[in-house]
């Protein structure tokens, strides 16, 4: 719902009165059934991004067997990708200053598609690690540009729903990618292991979406400018994407944006909670392996993880909608309360899932209900608070940079979660990869892995809830400062 809300598209050559610039090229986004084609393709890009993220974790067991790798080795693959993604994320902010976002999104998509195909063709574990790093570089370019695209496409009052919608469809892509890889993993196609075929298929689809984005997506800054929910057509000259300029001017503008972003206290607080709050989500890449160790087959594991993904997808949209409503009742604290509720719910659900439910195939339905409800309640933070609040505490021109720096800090630190789960499982709780039966799994190793998962989920969820608290003091002030800065910039032009 709400895909069209907040949009006012006009052909720049269709009017002559003030507010419509005849000197600008006509930029009208196409529509399909009344919905912007640009938004449709951006949502498809989000689908493929999430599908790509879920691909490798869904075949951890097969990759472990193919390369004789244990949980810590598999954790390092996730670490490498996430660390490179975090460190390279500021590059997205630099690129968006000089190029329009559809070009940047297409560049990143082609990069991750190439690396995904290369992982499927790798013969050595070191090759897989290298291409996972390249994959992280591609995602580093795509994700901040995609987030700022959504932020510019919706007004303040419905921005939570906008982020929720893209998260919903992205989660559907994650479901599709995970299910596809899990089901294909146990088969062979033309004497090629199914998990390798899944990677090559996903790379082909990603390349197609990247090509369509490059051809048909129109940057919102070429059609309309939203400054905190209000159309300011007079701002548009400043926001039209420019052609390549000198390297010195690009880096100077980038440095100015970086300094402006990191000084915002709301940004600092959200990044702090995100560093610990993203640890559980990174650790969850081991869920597929954990269920298969318990003894579930590929189909049952895919079904369980699909339920969790459906819960997260619905929860992200639900959280965005509830936070939009709460922000109207409590403008300065509604989104923060929603985020704290969601983070807190991660504690009891992690404990119940990993500690209370008997780890056997007979607990299938208990696992299913728990995962669905868990997904519904713990997935609100990004859509209810983080994404919408970032858009309100910096000027419009700095939005990509703030999302890029958020990814840089969160991605870099959260990347340690996956190898830590593996290390804890092996060194502290006694996981032994050699004891795992390829068909039946291993109850003992499943329990060891669950202990490592619980450590990296319950505690970070609690800290995440706590770290949101200072926003009650600083969010209002930062939002007013951003509005004042936008007014001053408008007066100076």
């Amino acid at each position: 719902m709400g895909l069209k809300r907040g949009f006012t598209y006009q052909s720049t050559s269709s009017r002559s009165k003030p507010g419509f610039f005849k000197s600008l090229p006509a930029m009208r986004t196409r529509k399909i059934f009344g919905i912007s084609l640009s938004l449709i393709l951006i949502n498809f890009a989000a689908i493929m991004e999430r599908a790509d993220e879920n691909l490798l974790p869904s075949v951890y067991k097969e990759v472990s067997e193919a390369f004789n790798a244990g949980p810590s080795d598999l954790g390092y693959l996730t670490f490498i990708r996430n660390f490179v993604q975090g460190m390279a994320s500021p590059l997205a902010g630099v690129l968006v200053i000089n190029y329009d976002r559809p070009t940047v999104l297409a560049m990143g998509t082609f990069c991750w598609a190439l690396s995904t195909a290369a992982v499927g063709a790798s013969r050595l574990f070191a090759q897989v690690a290298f291409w996972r790093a390249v994959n992280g570089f591609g995602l580093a370019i795509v994700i901040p540009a995609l987030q700022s695209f959504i932020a510019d496409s919706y007004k303040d009052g419905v921005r939570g729903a906008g982020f929720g919608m893209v998260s919903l469809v992205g989660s559907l892509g994650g479901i599709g990618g995970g299910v596809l890889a899990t089901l294909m993993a146990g088969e062979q196609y033309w004497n090629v292991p199914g998990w390798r075929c899944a990677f090559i298929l996903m790379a082909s689809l990603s390349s197609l979406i990247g090509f369509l984005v490059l051809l048909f997506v129109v940057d919102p800054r070429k059609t309309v400018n939203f400054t905190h929910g209000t159309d300011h057509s007079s701002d548009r000259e400043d926001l039209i994407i420019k052609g390549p300029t000198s390297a010195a001017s690009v880096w100077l503008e980038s440095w100015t944006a970086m300094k402006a972003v990191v000084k915002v206290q709301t940004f600092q607080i959200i990044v702090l909670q995100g560093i610990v709050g993203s640890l559980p989500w990174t650790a969850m890449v081991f869920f597929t392996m954990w269920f298969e160790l318990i003894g579930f087959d590929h189909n049952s594991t895919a079904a369980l993880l699909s339920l969790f993904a459906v819960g997260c997808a619905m929860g992200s949209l639900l959280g965005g909608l509830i936070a939009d409503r709460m922000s109207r009742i409590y403008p300065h604290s509604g989104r923060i309360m929603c985020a704290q509720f969601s983070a807190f719910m991660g504690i009891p659900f992690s404990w119940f899932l990993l500690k209370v439910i008997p780890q056997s195939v007979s607990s299938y339905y208990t696992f299913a209900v728990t995962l669905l409800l868990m997904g519904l309640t713990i997935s609100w933070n990004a859509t209810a608070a983080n994404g919408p609040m970032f858009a309100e505490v910096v000027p419009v021109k700095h939005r990509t940079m703030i999302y890029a720096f958020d990814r840089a800090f969160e991605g870099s630190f959260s990347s340690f979660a996956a190898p830590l789960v593996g290390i804890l499982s092996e060194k502290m709780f006694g996981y032994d990869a050699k004891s795992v039966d390829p068909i039946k799994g291993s109850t003992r190793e499943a329990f060891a892995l669950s202990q490592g998962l619980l450590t990296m989920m319950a505690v970070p969820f609690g800290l995440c809830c706590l770290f949101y608290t200072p926003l009650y003091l600083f969010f209002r002030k930062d939002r007013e400062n951003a509005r004042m800065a936008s007014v001053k910039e408008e007066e100076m032009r």
Side-chain angles (χ1 to χ4, degrees):
M1 54 83 65
L3 280 179
K4 295 189 291 180
R5 296 180 67 183
F7 289 90
T8 309
Y9 291 112
Q10 299 283 350
S11 170
T12 55
S13 61
S14 63
R15 307 232 185 169
S16 58
K17 65 180 183 179
F20 296 90
F21 290 82
K22 293 185 290 182
S23 61
L24 299 175
M27 295 298 296
R28 184 194 296 272
T29 183
R30 302 179 185 181
K31 293 187 177 182
I32 298 177
F33 301 114
I35 302 174
S36 161
L37 177 61
S38 294
L39 263 187
I40 293 173
L41 290 175
I42 286 298
N43 278 276
F44 270 114
I47 288 173
M48 297 311 302
E49 179 262 318
R50 290 290 289 276
D52 186 84
E53 283 189 357
N54 283 9
L55 205 54
L56 183 62
S58 299
V59 295
Y60 264 172
K61 187 168 178 286
E62 287 70 29
V63 173
S64 175
E65 295 167 1
F67 297 100
N68 194 28
S72 57
D73 296 318
L74 298 174
Y76 287 131
L77 293 179
T78 300
F79 164 77
I80 290 169
R81 192 205 66 181
N82 288 356
F83 187 77
V84 171
Q85 179 183 336
M87 297 302 294
S89 288
L91 179 62
V94 176
L95 290 172
V96 168
I97 288 175
N98 210 37
Y99 300 96
D100 68 350
R101 279 173 291 195
T103 302
V104 175
L105 287 166
M107 289 167 51
T109 302
F110 292 140
C111 183
W112 101 51
L114 170 65
S115 62
T116 299
V119 168
S122 295
R123 297 299 172 185
L124 300 174
F125 188 80
Q127 293 173 336
V128 177
F130 172 79
W131 287 113
R132 291 300 285 173
V134 176
N135 186 267
F137 183 81
L139 292 175
I141 297 173
V142 169
I143 295 176
L146 190 149
Q147 289 177 315
S148 67
F149 192 103
I150 295 299
D152 285 354
S153 300
Y154 292 86
K155 296 182 180 181
D156 289 352
V158 294
R159 194 169 281 128
F163 278 100
M165 181 61 68
V166 77
S167 180
L168 171 65
V169 299
S171 296
L172 296 177
I175 295 170
V179 171
L180 177 69
T182 303
L183 295 179
M184 291 180 68
E187 306 292 335
Q188 283 212 350
Y189 303 89
W190 306 285
N191 294 322
V192 177
W195 71 268
R196 294 184 183 274
C197 295
F199 273 77
I200 294 171
L201 175 60
M202 197 63 64
S204 302
L205 293 174
S206 297
S207 297
L208 174 62
I209 295 299
F211 186 68
L212 293 175
V213 167
L214 183 62
L215 287 181
F216 298 112
V217 170
V218 177
D219 196 305
R221 292 181 297 188
K222 289 187 175 182
T223 55
V224 70
N225 172 32
F226 295 105
T227 304
H228 302 293
T230 306
D231 294 347
H232 291 277
S233 298
S234 60
D235 292 342
R236 290 176 55 189
E237 282 186 330
D238 191 47
L239 287 174
I240 294 301
I241 310 301
K242 305 168 186 174
T245 56
S246 69
S249 64
V250 171
W251 284 108
L252 178 61
E253 190 172 355
S254 301
W255 179 248
T256 301
M258 291 176 191
K259 290 194 296 183
V261 164
V262 297
K263 289 179 180 179
V264 178
Q265 289 173 305
T266 295
F267 167 77
Q268 297 169 1
I269 295 165
I270 291 180
V271 165
L272 176 62
Q273 69 76 31
I275 288 172
V276 295
S278 56
L279 292 176
W281 294 96
T282 307
M284 289 177 199
V285 298
F286 282 103
F287 272 4
T288 301
M289 187 176 186
W290 177 53
F291 283 123
E292 291 179 350
L293 286 171
I294 290 173
F296 291 108
D297 60 22
H298 288 295
N299 293 346
S300 298
T301 299
L304 287 172
L305 295 180
S306 296
L307 282 171
F308 180 61
V310 167
C312 289
M314 296 171 60
S316 61
L317 179 58
L318 177 66
L321 292 171
I322 292 176
D324 283 345
R325 180 65 60 88
M326 290 288 288
S327 69
R328 298 183 195 116
I329 303 173
Y330 305 102
H332 310 301
S333 60
R335 295 193 183 278
I336 307 167
M337 289 188 286
C338 289
Q340 286 189 304
F341 165 79
S342 185
F344 175 79
M345 293 305 294
I347 302 173
F349 272 114
S350 298
W351 174 77
F352 188 76
L353 177 72
L354 297 164
K355 195 76 173 176
V356 176
I357 302 176
Q359 296 188 22
S360 70
V361 292
S362 62
S363 302
Y364 178 85
Y365 292 106
T366 308
F367 278 127
V369 174
T370 302
L371 287 168
L372 179 62
L373 295 177
M374 183 177 179
L376 278 171
T377 54
I378 70 171
S379 55
W380 296 13
N381 295 43
T383 58
N386 301 2
M389 291 170 73
F390 276 150
E392 295 183 43
V393 297
V394 294
V396 174
K397 63 181 180 181
H398 291 165
R399 280 179 179 166
T400 300
M401 192 64 76
I402 198 170
Y403 291 116
F405 265 79
D406 174 57
R407 287 291 85 215
F409 287 108
E410 288 193 23
S412 299
F413 284 93
S414 68
S415 60
F416 291 94
L420 281 175
V421 170
I423 292 170
L424 287 170
S425 301
E426 292 180 4
K427 305 300 182 183
M428 185 176 294
F429 303 114
Y431 184 98
D432 182 6
K434 296 178 181 179
S435 301
V436 178
D437 186 298
I439 305 299
K440 299 180 180 179
S442 171
T443 303
R444 178 179 175 276
E445 272 57 51
F447 179 76
L449 184 57
S450 71
Q451 294 294 95
L453 281 167
L454 182 61
T455 304
M456 293 305 300
M457 289 177 62
V459 175
F461 271 130
L463 292 174
C464 173
C465 179
L466 179 66
F467 289 165
Y468 269 112
T469 305
L471 288 176
Y472 290 108
L473 298 176
F474 296 113
F475 174 57
R476 179 177 184 176
K477 181 180 69 173
D478 289 337
R479 184 167 58 179
E480 292 301 322
N481 288 342
R483 286 177 175 172
M484 291 297 296
S486 295
V487 171
K488 290 180 181 179
E489 288 179 4
E490 191 173 338
E491 292 175 349
M492 292 175 62
R493 283 196 292 272

